[in-house]
Amino acid sequence: MKYKNLIFDLDGTLWDSRASIIDIWNEVLTRHHLIEKKLTPEDMNQYMGLLTDDIVRKIAPGITDQEVKTILAEIAGQENIILRTRGGILYQGVEETLKSLSETYNLFIVSNCQDGYIEAFLDFYRFNGLFADFESHGRTRKPKSENIKLIMERNNMKHNDTIYIGDTQTDYSSSKSNGLPFIFCEYGFGKLDIQDQGYSVSKFSELKNYI
């Protein structure tokens, strides 16, 4: 089937920012006495794709809502600064493939990240001109499924010519709740709990085979 609109997840799909941000998480969480041992980039794998509030609660069970708010404010502000100057690691073939796809398709990003995170990604790699629109949990405070719906309505996108591309169970569930087909990025952080996952790719450049 031919698609017109491609909606991408960010972490685990387009890039890996763990090495750039892990020191920030460790500094803030240690200062608030919420961890005894420093987190490694690999420790963050299990949290990728979750809402940032839920990540903090899983790392520090029993934390209050106010503490979550305070910690995330500290982390987010520093992350956005670091990512704009240091970036992350683009997965193999992402830059070339995105530039090629943008000539034929409308590209979008919907992520569970904080406000400013997608902007940092776009600014660092100078990808702003490749994407028609984006949305994040940090900006709307809505779950991914609702943000997908929001961006589709905002851009007059149809279900039969739009597809979502991601790497986690949340990505799959969010796309299916909007009636969208899904492409699973095997190289990312997540695993799917079901067998009938639709299309899957082992590297980003393989997307061209399915759209």
Side-chain angles (χ1 to χ4, degrees), residues 57-81:
R57 289 189 174 93
K58 283 184 175 292
I59 292 175
I63 192 171
T64 68
D65 290 345
Q66 182 56 50
E67 287 175 318
V68 169
K69 187 175 180 179
T70 299
I71 289 164
L72 286 180
E74 294 180 18
I75 289 175
Q78 294 183 54
E79 273 191 359
N80 293 343
I81 293 171

Side-chain angles (χ1 to χ4, degrees), residues 108-154:
F108 305 86
I109 297 176
V110 174
S111 172
N112 274 340
C113 60
Q114 74 262 15
D115 189 21
Y117 188 91
I118 297 175
E119 295 91 327
F121 166 78
L122 296 176
D123 288 348
F124 183 81
Y125 293 106
R126 300 181 181 179
F127 284 168
N128 290 280
L130 302 183
F131 291 88
D133 199 359
F134 60 85
E135 197 53 88
S136 67
H137 168 72
R139 190 158 67 175
T140 67
R141 307 311 298 173
K142 297 178 182 293
K144 180 167 286 186
S145 59
E146 293 187 34
N147 281 331
I148 291 175
K149 180 180 179 181
L150 181 63
I151 208 167
M152 289 183 67
E153 292 175 345
R154 193 159 69 211

Side-chain angles (χ1 to χ4, degrees), residues 30-195:
T30 299
R31 178 156 42 80
H32 286 273
H33 307 289
L34 294 174
I35 55 172
E36 296 180 358
K37 184 176 69 172
K38 286 188 176 181
L39 299 169
T40 67
E42 292 71 27
D43 289 331
M44 299 301 288
N45 288 13
Q46 60 190 305
Y47 308 123
M48 304 307 285
L50 298 178
L51 299 178
T52 50
D53 304 49
D54 293 335
I55 294 175
V56 175
R57 289 189 174 93
K58 283 184 175 292
I59 292 175
I63 192 171
T64 68
D65 290 345
Q66 182 56 50
E67 287 175 318
V68 169
K69 187 175 180 179
T70 299
I71 289 164
L72 286 180
E74 294 180 18
I75 289 175
Q78 294 183 54
E79 273 191 359
N80 293 343
I81 293 171
I82 288 295
L83 292 174
R84 271 193 164 87
T85 57
R86 187 184 301 174
I89 300 172
L90 282 183
Y91 289 110
Q92 182 180 5
V94 165
E95 182 169 7
E96 301 84 356
T97 303
L98 285 177
K99 288 180 177 178
S100 176
L101 292 174
S102 68
E103 296 175 359
T104 307
Y105 305 93
N106 302 313
L107 309 186
F108 305 86
I109 297 176
V110 174
S111 172
N112 274 340
C113 60
Q114 74 262 15
D115 189 21
Y117 188 91
I118 297 175
E119 295 91 327
F121 166 78
L122 296 176
D123 288 348
F124 183 81
Y125 293 106
R126 300 181 181 179
F127 284 168
N128 290 280
L130 302 183
F131 291 88
D133 199 359
F134 60 85
E135 197 53 88
S136 67
H137 168 72
R139 190 158 67 175
T140 67
R141 307 311 298 173
K142 297 178 182 293
K144 180 167 286 186
S145 59
E146 293 187 34
N147 281 331
I148 291 175
K149 180 180 179 181
L150 181 63
I151 208 167
M152 289 183 67
E153 292 175 345
R154 193 159 69 211
N155 293 277
N156 299 310
M157 298 156 68
K158 299 178 181 178
H159 292 83
N160 61 0
D161 61 11
T162 303
I163 191 166
Y164 190 87
I165 299 140
D167 72 305
T168 67
Q169 183 69 36
T170 298
D171 294 335
Y172 174 85
S173 301
S174 298
S175 65
K176 290 305 178 182
S177 70
N178 282 281
L180 298 180
F182 178 70
I183 296 179
F184 177 58
C185 298
E186 298 174 353
Y187 55 82
F189 300 122
K191 294 182 180 180
L192 296 190
D193 296 333
I194 60 173
Q195 296 299 316

